Amino acid sequence: MYYTEYGTVYHTYLDCTYLKLSIHQIPVNQLPDARNEAGARYRACELCGKDAVKDGYYITTQGDCYHTRLTCPGLSRYIKTVELETVLEQGMRECSRCARRRE
């Protein structure tokens, strides 16, 4: 099983899109019209969303936040590998994307 340092769920697949982000940069003027894969608008990242924008915003295809810094912790993943028993003992549930993939 896999989980991230600040995550609240565990992942069954290392190539889960929550773990392997597809990051794109868009010009500032395109943000109002930008939508994620589910059709939702992007909201400001709680960590960097209030920072000044220089070259554009960073978004992910399946995410719901826009970022002003490519180095934002919200765009990075420190992935740990553990046994299933460990994450279950911590009360974690399986990631929804991994669960759907197994069905």
Side-chain angles (χ1 to χ4, degrees):
M1 299 303 114
Y2 310 96
Y3 75 102
T4 61
E5 187 173 9
Y6 301 108
T8 57
V9 299
Y10 69 88
H11 303 270
T12 308
Y13 303 99
L14 186 56
D15 64 346
C16 175
T17 55
Y18 278 125
L19 298 176
K20 301 286 185 181
L21 301 178
S22 176
I23 303 169
H24 308 280
Q25 185 179 26
I26 61 170
V28 174
N29 65 343
Q30 288 184 11
L31 182 63
D33 297 324
R35 300 289 184 273
N36 66 15
E37 191 176 77
R41 290 183 175 182
Y42 291 94
R43 59 183 172 81
C45 169
E46 295 174 1
L47 302 172
C48 73
K50 294 181 181 177
D51 294 350
V53 178
K54 292 183 181 180
D55 299 322
Y57 293 105
Y58 297 96
I59 59 173
T60 62
T61 306
Q62 296 181 323
D64 61 357
C65 293
Y66 63 83
H67 303 266
T68 58
R69 292 180 283 122
L70 187 55
T71 58
C72 175
L75 289 174
S76 63
R77 301 290 185 264
Y78 175 69
I79 302 168
K80 298 180 181 182
T81 304
V82 295
E83 296 295 324
L84 178 61
E85 295 79 26
T86 303
V87 292
L88 294 178
E89 286 172 2
Q90 295 176 9
M92 291 184 166
R93 60 179 172 72
E94 185 176 25
C95 153
S96 60
R97 291 181 190 165
C98 288
R100 277 194 304 265
R101 185 170 165 184
R102 282 189 309 101
E103 293 175 354

